[in-house]
Amino acid sequence: MHVKININGKLYEKDVEPRLLLAHFIRDVAGLTGTHIGCETSICGACTVLSNGLAVKSCTMFAVQADGADLVTIEGMAKDGQLHPLQESFWEEHGLQCGYCTPGMIMCSHQLLSRNESPSEAEIREALDGNLCRCTGYQNIVKAVQSAAGKLKRTTKVAAGD
Amino acid sequence: MIAQNFEYTVATSLAEAVNLLQKHGGRAKILAGGHSLIPMMKLRLATPEALIDIGRIPELSYVRQDGDMVCIGALATHHVVETSGVVMRHCQALADGAGLIGDIQVRNKGTIGGSIAHADPAADYPASILAFDATIVTLGPKGERLIPASKFFVDMLTTALEANEIVREIQIPVQSGKTGSAYLKMAQKASGFAICGAAAVVELDGSGAMAKVAIGITGVGNRAFRATEAEKALKGQKPTTDLLKRACEKASSGVIALEDIHASADYRLDLARIFARRAVEAAIERA
Amino acid sequence: MPQRYVGLAMKRKEDPRLVSGTSTYVDDVVLPGMLHMVVVRSIHGHARIKRIDTSRAQKFPGVVAVVTGEEVAAHCGPVPCAASIPKMKNAQRQLLAVGKVRFVGEPIAAVVATDKYVARDAADLIAIDYEPLPAVVNPEKAMEPDSPRLYDEFSDNIAFNFGFESGNTEEAFKKADVIVKERFVNQRLAPLSMEPRGVVATYQMPDNELVVWASTQVPHLLRTQLAVMLNVPENRTRVIAPEVGGGFGAKIDVYAEDGLVGYLAKKTGRPVKWIEGRGENIAATIHGRDQIDDVELALKNDGTILGMRVKAIADLGAFYSLFTPMIPTLTGLLAPGCYKVPALKFALVGVLTNKMATDAYRGAGRPEATYMIERIMDVAAQKLKMDPAEIRRKNFPQPNEFPFQTSGGVVYDSANYEAALDRALELADYKGLRRKQAELRSQGKYMGIGLSSYVEICAMGPSAAMPGGGWETGSVRIERTGKVTILTGASPHGQGQETTFAQIAADEFGLEPDDIVTIHGDTARIPSGIGTFGSRATAVGGTAMYFAVQDLKEKMKKIAAHLLETTPDKIEFGVGKLVVKGDSGRSMSFIDVVDVAYNAVKLPPGLEPGLDATRFFEPSNFTFPFGTHVCVVEIDAETGEPKITKYVAVDDCGNIINPLLVEGQVHGGLVQGIAQALHEEVVYDENGQLLTGTLMDYAVPRAHDFPEFELDRTITPSPVNPLGVKGVGEAGTIGSTPAVVNAVVDALAPFGISHIDMPLRSEKIWKILKGRKAS
């Protein structure tokens, strides 16, 4: 089946088997290897991307289901060489060690902050239910999301002319 | 990690999906959010010959109030259900349950129709679906059917859906009077599925007595069930700590409970008692 | 020169590539013509293989090769084991099963195809006829004479016996006022790095050059082992560990799949890739723990320990992986914990069962020791009606007693256990917690406070104690432009050596960390090495690098002294320059000295050009970090569900290079240790079927399972290395498990219990709440 998927503003199209996982389309067809695969059962969240603005686990979707969709992956987060506030905050707060879960963590946190601009610690911890990290003990990830929330709010205010 | 190959068709209407199901003679599966099906396919525990994707059918992910009925389209995602004002206003327990399913990503994709059609014995929705006396509207080769919730969940992974029949809508009667509802669960630590989940809907009369009590329990038996004995013991009574405790002792009477590495049958039965009471208490609080 | 960077909470140099998704893990390596391997694995815990039919798979379009046990065994050596114990049975296995399978997930056949989807489909076409055999998964049953035997050639399943006695335990127990005993079980765990294992290999003729990309903690070790296993010259073998997504010990091992990929690359003449699925990871990557310890402690009425006896049973699984037999022996070394235990008898039996092999998982043998001593201390305190803090305090060696020879047979380098305990109690408001506990108990609520004072064995280690060597290398090269390149054999997988090593070298040279690059994980670039495990990267690898830096500094001082017309001992390093001591007007810039070293015209007579040094560091001892953790739990009185409401960790890992990274290591360690106490367990049924084969059943902890941890530290430098560092990779894991269990047992004290086995699932606690009346 012929699919066209827009990833980070660029159109990728290919004839694919219906069973091709979206995660494999992103990694193998588009060559965007920042999206990782960490489990087979939709638990670990390493493969999280935004599809039409919604955080989804790209290993639990077939590429054909995303035909025509707009995707954002970790590679699409930085703009003009400037890291996204979430990326910056993960760096500043030491919110990563081996880095394997990080892209998924950042994409899911992005979804959280798009729905709740100042989440509490408990809300952040609950929001990360679908993302496993084996290195950091989560504490600095929570701090990173809190810090990014602060930065994003300030940016919005500046943009709004406050 | 890699599913067996299959034929893939996008259905543009439910009627078309029903036709396609008929065409494949039971060897096809409906793909909605895919969050029950795709993990099974990746482990090759499910190997359908064809998938019929209903995920692109427009106008099936609605939540709306239609007179004295809350109508939820089969493709409403858990996130839509969780955050719907209509659901929160009229059937809070359902919103509670939706919000406790999986995680953000799963709730963004998984659908209420897909979940109930899959009938996992540890799924969250069935407890509320039963407690609200919901009606499941289906579409099949013979047309539309209305199935009462009490008849819908038949057994583990088995519903009253007939061959080639698809869930179209879930209807929940708008509760009258001073009503509250709540859903609480103990999650299995790995999967997040319910070891026990209990939904309660309570209507209080002018005197503060419970004019109506409905308790649905999931995760405990091979299918979700109503705690009818407990309901009977509560109905018409004024809620006191002692009464709630005594009545909910009967929440799992007569039930044959599941047993696995995560919880014994005895534990599940006791959790049903505990969570039934807690759900009733929370529902009263909200009434 | 003042420290400018050591001790600073610097952001990591490795992170920009990791947060932007541009780093390269093994699965990101794509080579022209690359084939994909899928492994067919045993579905039985124990079975004879009667027949394997690969004909349909061979013919499947896209399949390039299918291999089975006999062929591979004829060309490749077995899965290697580097550890040895006197009189141990040799339970080694071939890369692919020959004749028999002994655990679910054991590789039987491998398919390579042009596409991973095709390889997966072809794997389903391989038909295997099994004759199922009775399995044995319980190690105590496996020791019985009539138990099913894993190896026909062995008389029983007992792999080895190991033990020692120091002091006179018989006398100690005779003199005791009180003897407490308990059985402690450390359940089996899956290390579960978020990046599963993966291997890519190419084999180039005619030079016989094997290049392997592997998600490994030990590239050099893997290289040696692969060269031997595949009969390829080691000097034609190159192992690259690109970005490695966590290891936790499980990526020290050399696995069947590593050899298979190499063999198939050689056989097919094309690059081959294998990426482990999560199910394979839980079934066929090494497990950790799985040890039963029967512990007896002899004490005086005042709480003074007189002696300890331990009978340990280690469930090794079905075969030996790289260090399998050695790991449980570490439990004996650390059995006395941070206490004076004058007499110790440790008897260990290693047992073979129909499960995956155990090996080093974060802590490796020391969590088991810490768990049993910290639990038995609480059991003793309960019996003697002493406060758990006081019985600990009573038995600590004092700071002036270090170096302290223990009855476990090691010499603790330095410590002040009481200071860490006091700080933890203060931070947790221990007295206030005890008051609150009494108050809650009177209301029928169960809150518990658990302490754990731990010491652990780090900086692994002296070569005498390490199969294959315990040294590490560091090479430092100052480039002609003045930039510094560090090459370390301590290949990281999330620890942050690129940052910490740059901090150390920047201070030594008077440079900026941005001027320094640390290269790792490539045997063609790094001359020699061991790897990162056993909390050794900074203490052993960092020290090797530090000595190489000193060599270069000495050489640069000679050059500067020659040109400034003084002697090298009068030269010191300032920021960006070399200065004559006490005469800051006389100096040479760093880059000018480098220039002289390479232009080689104005060098002092007899001095070689260039600035490049390599050092091997052989540690004289382990290091012994320590600390005290305080855990507070509240128990749901109806469901039994435990909830951690407070967690205080005071750790002492010696000097600190980067506090941000130290805290990160502690956080991660805590979560793994707490998860052992509460959730995690690899479960097999009695037939050897794996019941926790996916993340739907194996509970990896999530963010919402924890409160915010409160951390503090004391600093007691180690005398074992010039950096004074001890290591912190495993401390959190080792210290936390007993703190949690002690807290839960403490919460349930009104029910008269002295112990509950891990994991402390709600149901176990519910049973106690149900079964007994609180006193």
Side-chain angles (χ1 to χ4, degrees):
Chain A
M1 186 176 155
H2 193 75
V3 295
K4 294 181 184 180
I5 302 174
N6 193 314
I7 310 177
N8 306 328
K10 190 175 165 195
L11 191 68
Y12 297 86
E13 53 181 312
K14 192 171 190 260
D15 280 318
V16 302
E17 285 185 333
R19 63 172 169 168
L20 181 72
L21 293 171
L22 180 59
H24 287 149
F25 185 94
I26 294 166
R27 291 179 51 80
D28 302 338
V29 177
L32 297 166
T33 56
T35 299
H36 299 146
I37 297 172
C39 79
E40 292 150 340
T41 49
S42 210
I43 294 284
C44 86
C47 64
T48 301
V49 300
L50 300 179
S51 171
N52 295 330
L54 294 175
V56 298
K57 293 181 177 173
S58 63
C59 81
T60 313
M61 269 180 86
F62 296 116
V64 289
Q65 290 175 279
D67 185 23
D70 268 320
L71 263 51
V72 182
T73 69
I74 189 69
E75 291 92 341
M77 291 293 280
K79 292 277 180 288
D80 308 322
Q82 184 70 42
L83 292 178
H84 185 275
L86 268 163
Q87 294 172 306
E88 251 177 34
S89 296
F90 269 70
W91 186 13
E92 289 160 1
E93 302 295 337
H94 190 33
L96 61 147
Q97 288 176 30
C98 84
Y100 198 75
C101 75
T102 311
M105 283 284 177
I106 288 176
M107 300 319 287
C108 186
S109 302
H110 186 276
Q111 174 85 93
L112 167 69
L113 296 183
S114 71
R115 289 174 177 170
N116 180 353
E117 65 170 19
S118 40
S120 66
E121 185 201 331
E123 284 171 331
I124 295 169
R125 286 183 184 268
E126 293 293 337
L128 297 175
D129 258 359
N131 294 76
L132 300 180
C133 169
R134 196 64 164 165
C135 294
T136 64
Y138 299 105
Q139 188 147 319
N140 288 343
I141 292 178
V142 173
K143 273 164 83 179
V145 177
Q146 283 169 327
S147 157
K151 285 183 196 172
L152 283 163
K153 264 197 300 190
R154 282 195 297 278
T155 322
T156 323
K157 278 189 186 154
V158 172
D162 281 359
Chain B
M1 186 69 196
I2 293 164
Q4 224 169 62
N5 223 340
F6 53 83
E7 200 179 299
Y8 174 81
T9 318
V10 175
T12 52
S13 70
L14 270 192
E16 188 193 350
V18 170
N19 282 337
L20 287 164
L21 275 177
Q22 277 184 293
K23 196 186 99 188
H24 286 282
R27 291 180 300 275
K29 285 264 183 200
I30 293 291
L31 178 67
H35 273 52
S36 303
L37 185 59
I38 296 175
M40 306 258 288
M41 290 175 69
K42 285 164 64 184
L43 298 171
R44 300 203 171 190
L45 298 171
T47 51
E49 170 190 285
L51 288 190
I52 297 153
D53 189 352
I54 60 168
R56 289 169 193 270
I57 298 175
E59 300 299 311
L60 260 184
S61 57
Y62 55 85
V63 179
R64 60 174 174 247
Q65 188 174 348
D66 206 348
D68 57 357
M69 213 52 99
V70 173
C71 301
I72 305 172
L75 290 183
T77 59
H78 311 321
H79 175 69
V80 165
V81 175
E82 171 193 5
T83 53
S84 151
V86 172
V87 175
M88 284 198 276
R89 210 154 41 245
H90 297 295
C91 23
Q92 178 78 52
L94 195 73
D96 292 349
L100 292 173
I101 296 172
D103 47 59
I104 285 183
Q105 297 95 314
V106 168
R107 297 197 290 273
N108 277 342
K109 277 306 279 184
T111 65
I112 187 166
S115 172
I116 66 166
H118 183 59
D120 191 299
D124 293 293
Y125 282 131
S128 309
I129 299 277
L130 284 171
F132 282 117
D133 281 318
T135 300
I136 289 84
V137 183
T138 68
L139 188 70
K142 290 177 224 158
E144 208 168 88
R145 266 208 307 160
L146 301 182
I147 308 174
S150 58
K151 298 263 165 49
F152 187 78
F153 300 104
V154 175
D155 204 341
M156 190 176 291
L157 306 178
T158 310
T159 65
L161 282 173
E162 284 173 8
N164 310 328
E165 211 175 13
I166 306 174
V167 173
R168 191 178 74 79
E169 184 180 274
I170 291 92
Q171 299 179 342
I172 295 175
V174 171
Q175 311 295 309
S176 56
K178 197 169 159 8
T179 302
S181 72
Y183 174 80
L184 297 165
K185 86 194 253 197
M186 176 182 277
Q188 196 254 69
K189 283 289 175 191
S191 68
F193 274 87
I195 285 180
C196 171
V201 184
V202 179
E203 186 187 335
L204 298 176
D205 67 16
S207 72
M210 293 174 280
K212 201 189 134 195
V213 187
I215 303 167
I217 292 178
T218 188
V220 173
N222 55 357
R223 63 182 172 86
F225 59 89
R226 283 277 289 265
T228 45
E229 299 265 319
E231 291 173 3
K232 264 187 243 161
L234 290 167
K235 198 178 170 191
Q237 307 291 314
K238 285 193 177 169
T240 63
T241 309
D242 187 49
L243 171 79
L244 292 181
K245 194 162 168 40
R246 260 188 304 113
C248 290
E249 281 302 306
K250 301 175 186 170
S252 49
S253 40
V255 173
I256 298 168
L258 298 170
E259 180 151 306
D260 58 26
I261 57 167
H262 303 291
S264 70
D266 281 348
Y267 188 47
R268 281 193 161 90
L269 292 172
D270 200 41
L271 289 177
R273 298 175 197 118
I274 296 164
F275 279 88
R277 195 199 74 237
R278 290 181 181 182
V280 171
E281 285 168 353
I284 291 169
E285 190 86 358
R286 283 173 174 173
Chain C
M1 195 173 60
Q3 281 188 355
R4 297 184 304 148
Y5 294 106
V6 167
L8 198 68
M10 261 185 63
K11 288 192 294 184
R12 295 202 313 175
K13 288 164 71 85
E14 32 285 83
D15 287 2
R17 65 175 187 263
L18 294 168
V19 298
S20 57
T22 52
S23 54
T24 303
Y25 296 85
V26 172
D27 197 14
D28 306 337
V29 174
V30 176
L31 301 171
M34 189 168 77
L35 304 174
H36 298 263
M37 179 176 87
V38 167
V39 177
V40 180
R41 296 170 187 278
S42 174
I43 57 168
H44 292 286
H46 197 192
R48 226 172 281 287
I49 301 170
K50 290 165 67 184
R51 203 172 68 93
I52 306 174
D53 181 356
T54 61
S55 56
R56 287 178 67 206
Q58 302 268 15
K59 284 180 225 143
F60 194 71
V63 169
V64 177
V66 181
V67 292
T68 55
E70 277 83 5
E71 175 189 336
V72 173
H75 293 93
C76 311
V79 176
C81 172
S84 175
I85 288 172
K87 293 187 196 164
M88 135 186 134
K89 293 189 176 96
N90 185 24
Q92 273 192 298
R93 72 166 236 254
Q94 299 299 326
L95 304 188
L96 293 176
V98 177
K100 222 177 155 185
V101 284
R102 299 183 178 87
F103 64 97
V104 164
E106 180 167 358
I108 296 175
V111 186
V112 279
T114 49
D115 176 289
K116 60 189 166 207
Y117 281 57
V118 171
R120 176 66 189 83
D121 287 344
D124 274 1
L125 301 176
I126 294 175
I128 301 165
D129 259 359
Y130 298 96
E131 177 195 339
L133 299 170
V136 60
V137 299
N138 176 324
E140 287 185 291
K141 284 193 179 150
M143 287 159 69
E144 290 168 5
D146 57 348
S147 158
R149 274 183 296 144
L150 270 80
Y151 292 82
D152 300 337
E153 57 270 39
F154 300 155
S155 54
D156 55 39
N157 298 315
I158 296 173
F160 62 81
N161 280 283
F162 168 89
F164 61 83
E165 179 168 14
S166 52
N168 188 334
T169 46
E170 202 179 312
E171 198 178 308
F173 276 78
K174 239 184 255 169
K175 280 196 305 195
D177 296 324
V178 182
I179 294 169
V180 286
K181 56 172 126 181
E182 193 64 69
R183 164 169 281 207
F184 301 117
V185 179
N186 260 268
Q187 77 274 30
R188 186 171 271 254
L189 302 175
L192 222 130
S193 57
M194 290 319 300
E195 183 209 21
R197 290 187 289 125
V199 200
V200 174
T202 65
Y203 197 88
Q204 295 288 345
M205 295 298 277
D207 289 344
N208 286 306
E209 191 170 79
L210 174 71
V211 182
V212 174
W213 287 259
S215 184
T216 177
Q217 298 173 227
V218 289
H220 285 89
L221 236 155
L222 179 60
R223 174 190 185 225
T224 307
Q225 295 291 345
L226 281 177
V228 172
M229 186 197 277
L230 301 174
N231 194 24
V232 180
E234 188 176 6
N235 49 9
R236 291 285 192 191
T237 305
R238 176 181 179 190
V239 172
I240 300 164
E243 209 73 69
V244 176
F248 311 109
K251 291 177 182 170
I252 305 171
D253 296 77
V254 177
Y255 288 90
E257 295 85 354
D258 304 339
L260 281 172
V261 169
Y263 171 69
L264 286 163
K266 191 173 171 184
K267 181 183 165 97
T268 61
R270 293 171 69 172
V272 177
K273 177 191 272 190
W274 172 75
I275 299 297
E276 183 183 54
R278 183 57 69 192
E280 294 180 292
N281 176 259
I282 300 177
T285 284
I286 62 103
H287 293 155
R289 319 281 190 264
D290 211 346
Q291 190 174 314
I292 302 168
D293 297 287
D294 285 306
V295 184
E296 293 177 278
L297 196 67
L299 305 103
K300 290 204 277 192
N301 273 329
D302 69 356
T304 306
I305 300 168
L306 298 172
M308 182 182 190
R309 289 196 289 238
V310 181
K311 283 186 186 161
I313 301 169
D315 184 337
L316 307 173
F319 70 101
Y320 302 153
S321 195
L322 198 66
F323 292 141
T324 301
M326 180 194 117
I327 301 303
T329 67
L330 294 172
T331 304
L333 300 190
L334 195 63
C338 49
Y339 309 109
K340 291 181 169 179
V341 177
L344 169 69
K345 189 172 183 180
F346 180 76
L348 164 71
V349 50
V351 185
L352 299 164
T353 60
N354 291 110
K355 305 186 214 169
M356 178 58 196
T358 53
D359 205 324
Y361 166 53
R362 202 171 195 171
R366 291 102 78 207
E368 294 88 329
T370 305
Y371 181 64
M372 72 183 177
I373 184 71
E374 284 308 291
R375 280 276 36 250
I376 201 78
M377 289 301 275
D378 263 29
V379 174
Q382 201 179 21
K383 176 109 175 187
L384 292 166
K385 297 193 166 44
M386 285 180 78
D387 187 286
E390 292 322 303
I391 195 167
R392 285 172 168 77
R393 197 186 299 280
K394 179 127 205 136
N395 289 286
F396 287 150
Q398 295 307 303
N400 59 11
E401 294 178 75
F402 289 85
F404 181 78
Q405 171 71 53
T406 78
S407 53
V410 290
V411 179
Y412 292 169
D413 57 346
S414 60
N416 186 344
Y417 299 133
E418 198 161 0
L421 172 69
D422 286 340
R423 181 68 191 118
L425 297 180
E426 182 192 345
L427 199 56
D429 183 20
Y430 185 65
K431 282 184 188 151
L433 286 171
R434 286 286 176 210
R435 278 195 300 274
K436 189 177 165 202
Q437 181 182 42
E439 204 175 295
L440 287 171
R441 271 186 189 159
S442 68
Q443 301 163 21
K445 289 180 183 158
Y446 306 112
M447 176 257 229
I449 306 153
L451 301 187
S452 161
S453 290
Y454 74 93
V455 58
E456 71 125 330
I457 307 175
C458 271
M460 303 234 162
S463 291
M466 301 290 296
W471 44 266
E472 193 49 85
T473 67
S475 300
V476 181
R477 184 170 70 232
I478 303 174
E479 313 290 0
R480 295 187 77 138
T481 54
K483 301 287 181 193
V484 175
T485 304
I486 294 170
L487 310 173
T488 178
S491 185
H493 43 285
Q495 289 82 358
Q497 273 99 298
E498 291 176 35
T499 307
T500 48
F501 283 21
Q503 287 177 271
I504 295 167
D507 275 357
E508 288 299 320
F509 285 130
L511 298 175
E512 300 306 309
D514 279 350
D515 295 326
I516 297 159
V517 167
T518 304
I519 308 283
H520 51 77
D522 184 347
T523 62
R525 297 176 79 183
I526 290 95
S528 199
I530 304 275
T532 291
F533 56 88
S535 303
R536 71 195 303 275
T538 313
V540 189
T543 300
M545 180 272 297
Y546 174 85
F547 282 133
V549 167
Q550 299 313 315
D551 285 355
L552 295 185
K553 284 176 76 175
E554 289 313 309
K555 189 166 183 179
M556 290 180 79
K557 282 180 187 172
K558 282 182 192 161
I559 296 170
H562 179 65
L563 295 167
L564 293 169
E565 296 173 338
T566 179
T567 52
D569 60 306
K570 298 264 166 41
I571 302 285
E572 63 185 3
F573 276 72
V575 175
K577 61 188 176 186
L578 286 80
V579 192
V580 178
K581 284 181 198 167
D583 186 357
S584 58
R586 283 168 72 203
S587 70
M588 263 185 89
S589 73
F590 184 89
I591 187 67
D592 284 346
V593 178
V594 173
D595 249 0
V596 174
Y598 282 104
N599 290 332
V601 176
K602 296 183 193 162
L603 283 172
L607 200 66
E608 286 174 11
L611 290 166
D612 194 338
T614 293
R615 288 290 289 267
F616 281 62
F617 174 60
E618 167 64 32
S620 58
N621 189 5
F622 301 104
T623 63
F624 298 87
F626 60 92
T628 291
H629 293 188
V630 181
C631 175
V632 181
V633 295
E634 283 174 25
I635 308 283
D636 183 316
E638 288 185 306
T639 65
E641 188 164 23
K643 186 175 164 57
I644 297 177
T645 54
K646 188 180 187 69
Y647 200 100
V648 169
V650 175
D651 298 286
D652 190 322
C653 59
N655 287 339
I656 286 180
I657 310 300
N658 185 331
L660 200 61
L661 273 59
V662 165
E663 282 174 18
Q665 286 294 322
V666 173
H667 291 157
L670 290 179
V671 159
Q672 273 173 324
I674 294 170
Q676 172 173 13
L678 295 180
H679 309 310
E680 288 187 37
E681 184 174 25
V682 174
V683 183
Y684 287 89
D685 73 8
E686 69 260 29
N687 299 314
Q689 281 303 324
L690 179 59
L691 302 182
T692 50
T694 73
L695 293 185
M696 298 291 278
D697 288 302
Y698 189 85
V700 177
R702 293 180 164 89
H704 80 248
D705 292 323
F706 306 95
E708 186 172 335
F709 303 124
E710 299 166 56
L711 267 49
D712 201 358
R713 68 177 75 95
T714 59
I715 293 178
T716 311
S718 172
V720 176
N721 60 66
L723 300 170
V725 298
K726 291 196 167 191
V728 72
E730 295 154 294
T733 310
I734 290 170
S736 59
T737 310
V740 178
V741 180
N742 285 345
V744 171
V745 173
D746 182 54
L748 299 173
F751 295 87
I753 63 143
S754 60
H755 180 64
I756 321 175
D757 273 330
M758 301 184 289
L760 301 171
R761 296 224 174 103
S762 310
E763 180 168 359
K764 285 187 189 163
I765 299 169
W766 167 84
K767 272 191 189 142
I768 290 163
L769 297 169
K770 277 272 160 192
R772 307 184 200 198
K773 284 264 174 291
S775 60

